[in-house]
Amino acid sequence: MSAAPGDPAPVFAAIDLGTNNCRLLIARPHRDRLGRENFRVIEAFSRIVRLGEGLSLSGRLSDAAMARTIEALKICSEKMARRNVAFARAVATEACRRAANGVEFLHEVKVATGISLDIISTAEEARLALTGCAPLLEAPHRQAIVFDIGGGSTEILWARLLGGGRTEVIDWISLPFGVVNLTERFGPGDSHSGSYAQMIDTVAEALQPFEARHNLSQQLKTGHIQVLGTSGTVTTLAGVHLNLPRYERRHVDGCWLEFPTVIEQSRRLAAQSVPERALYPCIGEERADLVVAGCAILEALYRFWPATRLRVADRGVREGVLVELMRQQRRKTS
């Protein structure tokens, strides 16, 4: 596909198909006021598809989950065609990595939608998330802990900030826990039965070797490390904390929250029933049964890294894909 005549720049698209969500971003290259290379979003789409539903029990993607996901990807395909997308990449993460029928599903997607999905490694997923969030990592911090709580896994990066939006990964870890498989294992989570505490302990046990290797809890005390979270969990909690009548990215992306306050909010949600959680506009029925698993992962992280503040990113893998696509194209044309 090629850009429409008269367009100021070619149109790029990125699809991030996760265990829980299908997300599309369509954008054009753009330079900000300081002349830095960036992009301007012209359309976005996100739908909860629960592709990984039942995967932790069966080892396979279910017919119903695949059908839901293909319907969402058809919408993505239509939007990309309407916007005359010239360059695109679509990536699939943990659900397709784990599923015995993941490759078979990718073939079905190609036939039904024309979209070619790449199953990326946990290492590439972590790197793309960091690239997408880099503009929110700022001086005077010298390093950053960046985490991405997904549906089937949680990626954590320790990165060095080099200035000018550039970063360098020092180390990273992918935990085999996300909001979908943790909920399937322990239920929707509540503090009364003890399942919330079990979730926290399970994640913390997996995280402990990473902390032991780097002793980040002590380094955090210097004040030189920024902590940033990118995921539906942290953006949802930010929306709840800000008491938004409906979720609005402009209020959430880049905002700073007091980390202890976020943990208090997490514990309040864990003390509530699923119907009570669903009453929050930024949670709703779609996330009500999953949100506490995300809270438990967040609290496990806080157990090791009790930062004063947490920066929230409503950006990640999609943005990272776009940045890399645009860089590749610039190199080809320069």
Side-chain angles (χ1 to χ4, degrees):
M1 290 179 287
S2 60
D7 279 352
V11 180
F12 292 74
I15 294 174
D16 171 18
L17 177 60
T19 303
N20 197 41
N21 287 75
C22 175
R23 300 182 177 96
L24 165 72
L25 210 56
I26 302 176
R28 283 196 180 98
H30 168 72
R31 288 187 181 272
D32 63 19
R33 289 191 301 267
L34 299 176
R36 294 174 300 195
E37 293 171 340
N38 206 323
F39 56 81
R40 190 187 299 279
V41 174
I42 57 177
E43 188 158 358
F45 170 77
S46 179
R47 176 172 290 182
I48 294 176
V49 294
R50 299 202 180 201
L51 177 61
E53 189 172 62
L55 174 63
S56 61
L57 304 175
S58 69
R60 297 179 62 84
L61 303 174
S62 72
D63 291 341
M66 289 190 291
R68 287 194 300 267
T69 304
I70 286 174
E71 287 306 306
L73 288 168
K74 284 180 180 177
I75 294 172
C76 293
S77 181
E78 291 164 3
K79 289 179 179 295
M80 289 162 63
R82 192 165 60 246
R83 293 289 187 174
N84 293 311
V85 168
F87 307 99
R89 188 183 184 202
V91 300
T93 57
E94 188 68 7
C96 291
R97 283 195 294 261
R98 287 192 186 186
N101 58 340
V103 174
E104 176 187 329
F105 169 64
L106 264 57
H107 177 70
E108 291 184 30
V109 167
K110 177 66 174 176
V111 171
T113 70
I115 294 171
S116 298
L117 281 162
D118 298 330
I119 300 178
I120 59 175
S121 66
T122 54
E124 185 172 6
E125 182 179 359
R127 178 178 57 76
L128 288 170
L130 178 62
T131 299
C133 293
L136 297 179
L137 300 172
E138 299 175 341
H141 304 101
R142 299 172 187 168
Q143 297 170 337
I145 297 170
V146 177
F147 60 86
D148 182 359
I149 301 172
S153 65
T154 296
E155 278 63 52
I156 301 159
L157 298 106
W158 179 31
R160 186 175 291 110
L161 309 187
L162 304 176
R166 295 175 302 120
T167 60
E168 177 183 61
V169 177
I170 301 170
D171 198 5
W172 67 279
I173 186 173
S174 178
L175 305 181
F177 304 111
V179 298
V180 174
N181 57 15
L182 209 58
T183 300
E184 289 179 347
R185 179 173 172 181
F186 292 101
D190 66 82
S191 50
H192 308 298
S193 70
S195 64
Y196 182 60
Q198 288 177 306
M199 287 180 179
I200 297 169
D201 289 342
T202 299
V203 177
E205 183 180 358
L207 185 58
Q208 201 280 329
F210 188 79
E211 163 59 19
R213 188 157 68 244
H214 298 297
N215 199 23
L216 293 181
S217 57
Q218 288 302 311
Q219 297 194 51
L220 199 62
K221 294 177 182 177
T222 66
H224 298 312
I225 299 180
Q226 179 180 338
V227 179
L228 180 144
T230 167
S231 70
T233 294
V234 292
T235 56
T236 296
L237 289 174
V240 171
H241 176 73
L242 296 170
N243 200 29
L244 298 179
R246 69 180 187 281
Y247 184 83
E248 291 186 76
R249 182 182 186 274
R250 63 191 177 94
H251 292 304
V252 172
D253 183 52
C255 75
W256 288 91
L257 300 178
E258 300 298 313
F259 210 161
T261 303
V262 175
I263 298 303
E264 290 171 12
Q265 178 69 66
S266 297
R267 292 173 180 173
R268 283 195 293 271
L269 290 172
Q272 296 175 341
S273 66
V274 171
E276 286 173 327
R277 297 171 202 159
L279 295 176
Y280 292 95
C282 291
I283 296 178
E285 293 183 3
E286 285 190 318
R287 295 184 182 275
D289 60 333
L290 300 177
V291 66
V292 167
C295 291
I297 295 170
L298 190 61
E299 186 155 355
L301 299 176
Y302 184 76
R303 179 179 292 182
F304 290 105
W305 306 319
T308 304
R309 296 201 302 165
L310 169 68
R311 195 164 202 191
V312 177
D314 185 348
R315 59 180 77 193
V317 171
R318 286 183 307 177
E319 287 80 1
V321 169
L322 281 177
V323 168
E324 292 200 347
L325 274 177
M326 292 177 185
R327 284 176 181 168
Q328 290 167 8
Q329 188 57 26
R330 279 196 298 271
R331 283 195 294 268
K332 289 178 182 178
T333 56
S334 60

